[in-house]
Every structure is written in C-alpha cells, then in structure tokens.
Amino acid sequence: MTKNLRMIDLFAGCGGMTVGFAGEGFRSVLAVEWDKAAAATYAANFGEKHVIAGDIASVPDEAIPETDIIIGGPPCQGFSNLGLKDIKDPRNQLWREFMRFVEHSRPKVFVIENVDRFAKSPEFAMLLAEADHGALAEYELQHAVLNAADYGVAQRRKRTIVIGSRIGRIDLPAPTHAKDAGENSDLLPWRTVKDVIGTLPPHPESTDLPNSRFAFFGEEMPGVFRGLDLHIRRTPTSKSLDRYSFVPPGGGRFDLPDELLPNCWARKPTGTTDVMGRLRWDMPSVTIRTEFFKPEKGQYLHPQWEAGEWVEAYGKHRSDPVRSVDRVISHYEASLIQDFPADYRWVGTKIQIARQIGNAVPSGLARAIARQIKPHLVSQAVERAERELAFA
Ligand SMILES: C[S@@+](CC[C@H](N)C(=O)[O-])C[C@H]1O[C@@H](n2cnc3c(N)ncnc32)[C@H](O)[C@@H]1O
C-alpha cells in the first residue's frame, strides 16, 4: 500500500528530504528544483523523467499531478516584523507557488521545512492566515522546531517543521534519541561523528573529483560521483596548517595563539566561537552548512587530534602530526554527517556539491516525519480501496 503513496518534492535540492520519504515507501512523482546541478543529483538517484529542472513559477497548473503529499521548503526571505504579510507582495512569490501546488494537487498532507527562526517570520504569519481563512483553510497545521540529532542523525541541526493535514491532526514525531539517554531511558543516545565517519581513510589522496561528465536535462555536467570519489582534501597553506594544529576537539579560534590569529579575528575578541573549530568524535557535529570546506566558517576540522609538542612561546600544545588529522572534513564526510546514503550519487563541481549537501534536510529527520505521517495516509488509502471494492 505504501508504494502507492505519491509525493511531490518542491525546492527539492539534491533530494535529502526525498531520501527520507522514499525510505518509508513514498514515491516521488514530481520534483522541482531550479539549480541544474542539484536537480541532476536528484535525477541521478531518483530518475530524470519526473524532475523539472527549472523555476517553480514556470510549471503550469496542468502539469501538477494529484498526490498524497507535498513536501518542500520555500526559501524564507527575512525575519523583520515589517512587510511580507501581504500575500500579493512580490517577495512572497515562492510561498504563493507552494500554495498554488497545494491548491492544484490537493494533497492530503503537506510538509514544510525551514530555518529554526521560521515561526518568527512574516512568511509563517502568512501561512497561519492562509490556514485560518485562505487557500489552506481545509488544513490543520502543527509545527515545532526539531533537532535532527534527536532523530538519529549525527548532527545538531534545528529545523522548523510544519505538517498541514486535511485528514485530521498529525502531530510532529517524538524524538527517538537524546543527549543524555540513560540506561532507563526509552530513547537511544545521540549518534556521534565517530559513528558515521570513524572508519574512513584519514588522509584522502585526491584534491579533485574524478574527471568524468554525464548529460542531464540535455546538458553535460561533472559526475556522476559516489562514495570515496567525494573523499577529497584541500591544499592549505603552511600558515593554515599551523593554525589547525593548535585547535583541539571542541575548540575553535580562541585556542589559536595570538601570533597566529588573522587580523579580522584579532580585532573581534568576542562572538563567532565555532569558527576554525574542530569537531568532536563523541558528539553529533554542528550544523553542516554550504561552506563546510572552509575551516574559517565553522567547526569543520576533522575530529582526530592528539596533543604533541609543547610550544613554549605560545604556552600551548600543537597536534601530534602522526596521531592527528589536520584538515577540514571532506565532501564525503559532510554528506555522511548530513545522513546521505554512502552510495548516493552526486553531480556538479566541488562547490555545487557542497551547496547541495549543506542545503539538504538530513534524511533521518525526513524519515522520522514520513514515518509519523504514513499510517494516516495508509489508513485513508485502505478505506478508499475498501469503498472502491464495495462499489465494484
Ligand atoms: C533548502 S534547499 C532544499 C533542500 C532539499 N529539501 C533537500 O532536502 O535536499 C532549497 C532549494 O530551493 C531551490 N529554489 C529556490 N528558488 C527556486 C525556484 N524559484 N524554483 C525552483 N527551485 C528553487 C534552491 O535552488 C535550493 O536548492
């Protein structure tokens, strides 16, 4: 019965959300994504025929099929209290598009994912107004901020999830994992960085993706890459390497000796604590963003670090070069922390693939949502089948 659960994925990216829903038996019948490389990654994993690699606004009403569920995260423009409450405001275009799909497809359920502050945005106020007396009046909305780590993903990533249902209230899924899940807890302990990247080769050989190309949507693109193809390293300067060596697991720019601080940070003694940070083996990672390959953007240094030489002039240990891994995480490691399957196929340049990875919804979180919604849709489908049989 679940094989018949049809879904549309809007703003589909490279397919993180679809991975989770497909894992619960949902079948994507339409995906819309305007970034060609991201759409190609989606197509490489789920088939090209049902993917529209274009602007959502260019999809005609007639091309919108009936489905059980629409999933997607329309980008959110801003968080000021001013403006945007007007549905006709041109900046609300993407939200209007999402609602146009809901009106034409009439799914039983829709799911919106967005940034954690989403509930404070004018777009959210607009969504509530539409559910109250507008285009979404049939739907009952539930929403909450969920942390992917609480659903078995080795990453602390908070997202607002909205479930809209016209087949009765559907609550957000309860956590399955917890930071302090003791022996008597029903919950499992948070999964850690070690659980997902602990066995990979510590020193990737290549600095580049393999030299291959494949045609999607009539256009040749770099790819298709999978697995260790993405396990690539960078070539940092000796100054950068020097900096990395002083950052222990869980540490960041405040561990750098003053002499090694870049000027911009030296002038800014507070704030942005996790830049030039190092992951910890025994914890879920911080949020993987689109520029995870730049250590200056967050806590993205490889977690393997053991204290080595004591540097008297700085009053600090630098890393032991043999027992430490002084590099940023590879694309492959980032994709696993983002909960993509180990053999997921990827299309695009290094920067495009990093953007796809960083933008995605971790599949474990999406799957928990799918698992919560599925019984509601299946019972509806069973009732419908029984009705049809009775009339046959
Ligand atoms: C947060 S990402 C989606 C992530 C995706 N749900 C996943 O789990 O992998 C939002 C996506 O919306 C796409 N997008 C933005 N504006 C669009 C438009 N007008 N038409 C189609 N796609 C659009 C962006 O290219 C981006 O990939």
Side-chain angles (χ1 to χ4, degrees):
M1 192 60 79
T2 48
K3 283 229 163 44
N4 294 325
L5 293 177
R6 294 151 51 89
M7 69 172 165
I8 295 177
D9 191 347
L10 300 176
F11 311 98
C14 62
M17 251 188 138
T18 288
V19 175
F21 275 78
E24 287 300 310
F26 287 74
R27 184 167 59 87
S28 174
V29 293
L30 177 64
V32 184
E33 168 57 51
W34 73 357
D35 175 319
K36 284 263 167 58
T41 294
Y42 192 104
N45 289 281
F46 299 104
E48 189 171 325
K49 271 198 206 128
H50 71 289
V51 180
I52 298 180
D55 187 348
I56 190 167
S58 68
V59 181
D61 293 346
E62 313 77 70
I64 302 175
E66 263 186 34
T67 43
D68 294 291
I69 185 163
I70 295 184
I71 58 177
C76 204
Q77 304 287 336
F79 292 89
S80 96
N81 289 324
L82 305 167
L84 283 169
K85 287 196 178 116
D86 178 5
I87 183 80
K88 296 196 180 72
D89 186 317
R91 287 174 295 174
N92 279 328
Q93 182 65 27
L94 296 179
W95 287 80
R96 281 217 297 275
E97 288 301 330
F98 190 91
M99 285 180 215
R100 178 170 71 92
F101 271 72
V102 171
E103 279 175 71
H104 283 275
S105 176
R106 291 203 72 249
K108 297 176 189 76
V109 179
F110 65 82
V111 176
I112 293 175
E113 73 83 24
N114 225 291
V115 293
D116 55 351
R117 292 177 303 153
F118 174 57
K120 296 193 177 76
S121 70
E123 285 93 337
F124 184 70
M126 189 187 81
L127 191 69
L128 293 185
E130 289 299 313
D132 194 35
H133 51 262
L136 305 179
E138 272 185 288
Y139 292 87
E140 194 174 342
L141 303 193
Q142 303 295 323
H143 77 277
V145 175
L146 307 185
N147 184 350
D150 293 339
Y151 298 88
V153 176
Q155 182 187 173
R156 284 164 288 151
R157 187 183 190 94
K158 289 188 179 165
R159 306 300 286 176
T160 300
I161 304 295
V162 182
I163 300 180
S165 165
R166 61 176 179 83
I167 53 172
R169 173 187 169 132
I170 304 181
D171 290 319
L172 278 300
T176 50
H177 293 64
K179 182 179 183 187
D180 301 313
E183 267 175 28
N184 299 326
S185 170
D186 290 340
L187 302 180
L188 296 164
W190 271 355
R191 291 182 71 224
T192 67
V193 170
K194 185 158 209 156
D195 292 334
V196 289
I197 67 166
T199 58
L200 290 183
H203 303 293
E205 281 163 26
S206 179
T207 54
D208 273 313
L209 295 166
N211 190 16
S212 61
R213 296 181 77 76
F214 202 87
F216 286 96
F217 314 110
E219 203 180 295
E220 277 217 342
M221 292 182 232
V224 176
F225 310 119
R226 67 204 300 180
L228 289 173
D229 290 346
L230 267 70
H231 198 40
I232 46 179
R233 65 183 166 80
R234 307 192 82 208
T235 45
T237 61
S238 57
K239 182 146 204 179
S240 294
L241 283 172
D242 215 16
R243 286 179 181 138
Y244 304 168
S245 75
F246 285 100
V247 181
R253 69 159 168 133
F254 292 108
D255 294 290
L256 295 185
D258 290 347
E259 292 78 350
L260 293 181
L261 271 178
N263 280 342
C264 54
W265 293 345
R267 282 197 303 271
K268 203 165 167 260
T270 56
T272 51
T273 46
D274 65 352
V275 295
M276 193 59 80
R278 190 181 289 274
L279 292 164
R280 285 173 51 157
W281 277 129
D282 60 345
M283 288 283 286
S285 83
V286 293
T287 300
I288 299 293
R289 301 186 193 284
T290 53
E291 293 191 307
F292 61 79
F293 52 89
K294 295 181 181 171
E296 66 275 18
K297 294 285 179 178
Q299 201 182 78
Y300 301 134
L301 290 175
H302 192 280
Q304 181 59 38
W305 187 92
E306 300 285 341
E309 173 203 358
W310 173 256
V311 184
E312 194 60 48
Y314 300 155
K316 288 176 188 289
H317 282 284
R318 67 164 75 246
S319 57
D320 174 327
V322 178
R323 294 179 302 144
S324 304
V325 179
D326 280 328
R327 64 167 172 82
V328 77
I329 49 170
S330 70
H331 281 48
Y332 190 41
E333 288 162 337
S335 78
L336 296 176
I337 294 172
Q338 268 284 53
D339 213 26
F340 280 97
D343 61 350
Y344 206 64
R345 301 182 176 97
W346 297 93
V347 179
T349 62
K350 286 191 274 191
I351 288 179
Q352 287 170 330
I353 292 175
R355 193 184 313 133
Q356 295 168 29
I357 292 171
N359 269 336
V361 177
S363 65
L365 176 58
R367 188 160 185 172
I369 299 162
R371 197 177 294 132
Q372 178 80 354
I373 293 171
K374 187 166 78 171
H376 296 264
L377 290 174
V378 170
S379 65
Q380 280 266 315
V382 170
E383 274 173 34
R384 192 178 59 217
E386 283 172 355
R387 264 200 315 274
E388 281 165 11
L389 268 179
F391 279 113

